[in-house]
Tab-separated table of all heavy atoms in Angstrom:
chain	number	residue	atom	x	y	z
A	177	GLY	N	0.803	-1.238	-0.010
A	177	GLY	CA	0.017	0.060	0.001
A	177	GLY	C	0.882	1.256	0.000
A	177	GLY	O	0.563	2.290	-0.513
A	178	GLU	N	1.962	1.225	0.678
A	178	GLU	CA	2.909	2.376	0.722
A	178	GLU	C	3.476	2.555	-0.638
A	178	GLU	O	3.674	3.707	-1.055
A	178	GLU	CB	4.057	2.031	1.810
A	178	GLU	CG	3.378	2.101	3.134
A	178	GLU	CD	4.408	1.591	4.214
A	178	GLU	OE1	5.422	0.975	3.837
A	178	GLU	OE2	4.240	1.876	5.472
A	179	ALA	N	4.020	1.359	-1.332
A	179	ALA	CA	4.489	1.550	-2.606
A	179	ALA	C	3.427	2.184	-3.627
A	179	ALA	O	3.859	3.056	-4.378
A	179	ALA	CB	4.873	0.215	-3.082
A	180	ILE	N	2.223	1.745	-3.636
A	180	ILE	CA	1.224	2.183	-4.455
A	180	ILE	C	0.921	3.686	-4.419
A	180	ILE	O	0.681	4.370	-5.297
A	180	ILE	CB	-0.139	1.415	-4.290
A	180	ILE	CG1	0.121	-0.085	-4.702
A	180	ILE	CG2	-1.272	2.061	-5.169
A	180	ILE	CD1	-0.971	-0.952	-4.344
A	181	ALA	N	1.130	4.242	-3.218
A	181	ALA	CA	0.927	5.591	-2.864
A	181	ALA	C	2.162	6.507	-3.115
A	181	ALA	O	2.061	7.621	-3.092
A	181	ALA	CB	0.507	5.739	-1.382
A	182	LEU	N	3.232	5.777	-3.470
A	182	LEU	CA	4.488	6.611	-3.501
A	182	LEU	C	4.439	7.524	-4.812
A	182	LEU	O	4.025	7.101	-5.875
A	182	LEU	CB	5.717	5.580	-3.672
A	182	LEU	CG	7.042	6.069	-3.283
A	182	LEU	CD1	7.103	6.482	-1.863
A	182	LEU	CD2	8.060	4.943	-3.618
A	183	ARG	N	4.837	8.747	-4.636
A	183	ARG	CA	4.883	9.717	-5.843
A	183	ARG	C	6.353	10.144	-5.912
A	183	ARG	O	7.220	10.079	-5.003
A	183	ARG	CB	4.048	10.958	-5.521
A	183	ARG	CG	2.604	10.578	-5.444
A	183	ARG	CD	1.736	11.733	-5.077
A	183	ARG	NE	0.277	11.255	-4.865
A	183	ARG	CZ	-0.574	11.079	-5.808
A	183	ARG	NH1	-0.249	11.233	-7.020
A	183	ARG	NH2	-1.919	10.577	-5.468
A	184	TRP	N	6.818	10.657	-7.046
A	184	TRP	CA	8.147	11.085	-7.367
A	184	TRP	C	8.647	12.140	-6.354
A	184	TRP	O	9.831	12.147	-6.139
A	184	TRP	CB	8.204	11.428	-8.835
A	184	TRP	CG	8.124	10.320	-9.847
A	184	TRP	CD1	7.230	10.125	-10.828
A	184	TRP	CD2	9.023	9.158	-9.927
A	184	TRP	NE1	7.362	8.998	-11.481
A	184	TRP	CE2	8.600	8.331	-11.004
A	184	TRP	CE3	10.157	8.747	-9.330
A	184	TRP	CZ2	9.031	7.190	-11.389
A	184	TRP	CZ3	10.706	7.508	-9.733
A	184	TRP	CH2	10.182	6.771	-10.654
A	185	GLU	N	7.799	12.945	-6.032
A	185	GLU	CA	8.150	14.026	-4.988
A	185	GLU	C	8.634	13.440	-3.665
A	185	GLU	O	9.272	14.021	-2.890
A	185	GLU	CB	7.037	15.013	-4.741
A	185	GLU	CG	5.837	14.344	-4.116
A	185	GLU	CD	4.662	15.266	-4.026
A	185	GLU	OE1	4.803	16.475	-4.643
A	185	GLU	OE2	3.619	14.946	-3.524
A	186	ASP	N	8.426	12.089	-3.391
A	186	ASP	CA	8.784	11.370	-2.174
A	186	ASP	C	10.221	10.882	-2.393
A	186	ASP	O	10.825	10.445	-1.273
A	186	ASP	CB	7.826	10.290	-1.870
A	186	ASP	CG	6.404	10.807	-1.645
A	186	ASP	OD1	6.199	11.855	-1.029
A	186	ASP	OD2	5.454	10.127	-2.080
A	187	ILE	N	10.733	10.816	-3.560
A	187	ILE	CA	12.011	10.344	-3.742
A	187	ILE	C	13.014	11.535	-3.881
A	187	ILE	O	12.952	12.434	-4.676
A	187	ILE	CB	12.116	9.632	-5.065
A	187	ILE	CG1	10.957	8.463	-5.162
A	187	ILE	CG2	13.500	8.863	-5.167
A	187	ILE	CD1	11.070	7.404	-4.233
A	188	ASP	N	14.103	11.365	-3.017
A	188	ASP	CA	15.095	12.454	-3.085
A	188	ASP	C	16.374	11.775	-3.777
A	188	ASP	O	17.096	11.098	-3.106
A	188	ASP	CB	15.442	12.986	-1.678
A	188	ASP	CG	16.427	14.076	-1.594
A	188	ASP	OD1	17.272	14.218	-2.666
A	188	ASP	OD2	16.497	14.895	-0.692
A	189	PHE	N	16.529	11.997	-5.050
A	189	PHE	CA	17.615	11.383	-5.752
A	189	PHE	C	19.004	11.835	-5.243
A	189	PHE	O	19.946	11.039	-5.325
A	189	PHE	CB	17.504	11.431	-7.203
A	189	PHE	CG	16.316	10.559	-7.771
A	189	PHE	CD1	15.055	11.072	-8.024
A	189	PHE	CD2	16.638	9.247	-8.218
A	189	PHE	CE1	14.040	10.227	-8.641
A	189	PHE	CE2	15.555	8.382	-8.616
A	189	PHE	CZ	14.307	9.050	-8.842
A	190	GLU	N	19.087	13.095	-5.016
A	190	GLU	CA	20.276	13.731	-4.612
A	190	GLU	C	20.766	13.197	-3.266
A	190	GLU	O	21.918	12.756	-3.176
A	190	GLU	CB	20.138	15.334	-4.408
A	190	GLU	CG	21.502	16.005	-4.236
A	190	GLU	CD	21.339	17.417	-4.130
A	190	GLU	OE1	20.127	18.041	-4.570
A	190	GLU	OE2	22.223	18.141	-3.690
A	191	ASN	N	19.843	13.088	-2.303
A	191	ASN	CA	20.332	12.602	-0.941
A	191	ASN	C	19.988	11.011	-0.871
A	191	ASN	O	20.239	10.488	0.325
A	191	ASN	CB	19.503	13.302	0.141
A	191	ASN	CG	20.015	14.848	0.237
A	191	ASN	OD1	21.229	15.084	0.316
A	191	ASN	ND2	18.968	15.758	0.173
A	192	LYS	N	19.578	10.462	-1.863
A	192	LYS	CA	19.366	9.123	-1.849
A	192	LYS	C	18.418	8.595	-0.615
A	192	LYS	O	18.780	7.694	0.060
A	192	LYS	CB	20.625	8.233	-1.932
A	192	LYS	CG	21.487	8.431	-3.135
A	192	LYS	CD	22.637	7.729	-3.081
A	192	LYS	CE	23.507	7.916	-4.287
A	192	LYS	NZ	24.857	7.082	-4.391
A	193	THR	N	17.317	9.084	-0.539
A	193	THR	CA	16.390	8.854	0.433
A	193	THR	C	14.922	8.642	-0.064
A	193	THR	O	14.640	9.246	-1.218
A	193	THR	CB	16.277	9.959	1.621
A	193	THR	OG1	15.851	11.210	1.023
A	193	THR	CG2	17.559	10.003	2.269
A	194	VAL	N	13.977	8.040	0.542
A	194	VAL	CA	12.646	7.884	0.230
A	194	VAL	C	11.775	8.282	1.423
A	194	VAL	O	12.087	7.792	2.532
A	194	VAL	CB	12.200	6.606	-0.452
A	194	VAL	CG1	12.503	5.491	0.505
A	194	VAL	CG2	10.702	6.490	-0.704
A	195	MET	N	10.799	9.118	1.344
A	195	MET	CA	9.837	9.434	2.329
A	195	MET	C	8.559	8.529	2.263
A	195	MET	O	7.957	8.504	1.245
A	195	MET	CB	9.457	10.939	2.279
A	195	MET	CG	8.613	11.429	3.391
A	195	MET	SD	9.452	11.653	4.971
A	195	MET	CE	10.410	13.142	4.509
A	196	ILE	N	8.248	7.812	3.284
A	196	ILE	CA	7.166	6.989	3.424
A	196	ILE	C	6.170	7.748	4.387
A	196	ILE	O	6.332	7.538	5.721
A	196	ILE	CB	7.433	5.592	3.919
A	196	ILE	CG1	8.592	4.948	3.078
A	196	ILE	CG2	6.201	4.753	3.836
A	196	ILE	CD1	8.288	4.826	1.636
A	197	ASN	N	5.064	8.214	3.855
A	197	ASN	CA	4.265	8.927	4.821
A	197	ASN	C	2.687	8.717	4.430
A	197	ASN	O	1.830	9.383	5.055
A	197	ASN	CB	4.573	10.443	4.924
A	197	ASN	CG	4.362	11.041	3.437
A	197	ASN	OD1	3.962	10.518	2.567
A	197	ASN	ND2	4.832	12.315	3.374
A	198	LYS	N	2.400	7.756	3.528
A	198	LYS	CA	1.015	7.584	3.142
A	198	LYS	C	1.022	6.162	2.541
A	198	LYS	O	1.881	5.449	2.302
A	198	LYS	CB	0.571	8.550	2.117
A	198	LYS	CG	1.466	8.833	0.910
A	198	LYS	CD	0.977	9.961	0.155
A	198	LYS	CE	1.939	10.255	-0.968
A	198	LYS	NZ	3.381	10.496	-0.596
A	199	SER	N	-0.368	5.671	2.424
A	199	SER	CA	-0.630	4.357	1.874
A	199	SER	C	-2.013	4.413	1.285
A	199	SER	O	-2.847	5.320	1.534
A	199	SER	CB	-0.638	3.338	3.096
A	199	SER	OG	-1.002	2.161	2.690
A	200	ILE	N	-2.085	3.599	0.228
A	200	ILE	CA	-3.302	3.526	-0.367
A	200	ILE	C	-3.964	2.143	-0.241
A	200	ILE	O	-3.254	1.085	-0.349
A	200	ILE	CB	-3.127	3.758	-2.010
A	200	ILE	CG1	-2.914	5.297	-2.236
A	200	ILE	CG2	-4.516	3.305	-2.665
A	200	ILE	CD1	-2.739	5.455	-3.678
A	201	GLU	N	-5.128	2.137	0.228
A	201	GLU	CA	-5.912	0.854	0.562
A	201	GLU	C	-7.162	0.757	-0.245
A	201	GLU	O	-7.815	1.696	-0.494
A	201	GLU	CB	-6.207	0.830	2.014
A	201	GLU	CG	-5.048	0.964	3.048
A	201	GLU	CD	-4.382	-0.225	3.328
A	201	GLU	OE1	-4.835	-1.310	2.829
A	201	GLU	OE2	-3.371	-0.132	4.054
A	202	ARG	N	-7.501	-0.413	-0.635
A	202	ARG	CA	-8.710	-0.733	-1.320
A	202	ARG	C	-9.859	-0.850	-0.219
A	202	ARG	O	-9.760	-1.891	0.521
A	202	ARG	CB	-8.649	-1.885	-2.315
A	202	ARG	CG	-9.864	-2.143	-3.175
A	202	ARG	CD	-9.575	-2.723	-4.426
A	202	ARG	NE	-9.111	-1.744	-5.364
A	202	ARG	CZ	-9.009	-1.820	-6.661
A	202	ARG	NH1	-9.419	-2.986	-7.168
A	202	ARG	NH2	-8.609	-0.881	-7.490
A	203	VAL	N	-10.873	-0.058	-0.195
A	203	VAL	CA	-11.834	-0.220	0.856
A	203	VAL	C	-13.248	-0.287	0.205
A	203	VAL	O	-13.431	-0.006	-0.962
A	203	VAL	CB	-11.811	0.995	1.844
A	203	VAL	CG1	-10.462	1.118	2.510
A	203	VAL	CG2	-12.064	2.332	0.966
A	204	ILE	N	-14.274	-0.664	1.092
A	204	ILE	CA	-15.573	-0.841	0.550
A	204	ILE	C	-16.179	0.505	0.354
A	204	ILE	O	-16.089	1.468	1.066
A	204	ILE	CB	-16.393	-1.507	1.578
A	204	ILE	CG1	-15.813	-2.997	1.763
A	204	ILE	CG2	-17.963	-1.587	1.283
A	204	ILE	CD1	-16.546	-3.767	2.958
C-alpha cells in the first residue's frame, strides 16, 4: 500500500532517500 501511494516527489535522488508517509488501501 505504501508503494502504490508513492509519488516522485517522495524520492530524493540527490540525498538518496525515500519518504514513506502515506498508503493506499482498497476499501468498501
Side-chain angles (χ1 to χ4, degrees):
E178 294 169 346
I180 294 171
L182 207 59
R183 299 180 186 274
W184 290 116
E185 62 189 2
D186 299 319
I187 311 292
D188 186 338
F189 286 96
E190 184 178 346
N191 294 307
K192 298 183 179 180
T193 60
V194 56
M195 182 75 73
I196 311 295
N197 57 11
K198 53 191 174 296
S199 179
I200 289 179
E201 304 276 355
R202 179 150 288 193
V203 298
I204 296 170

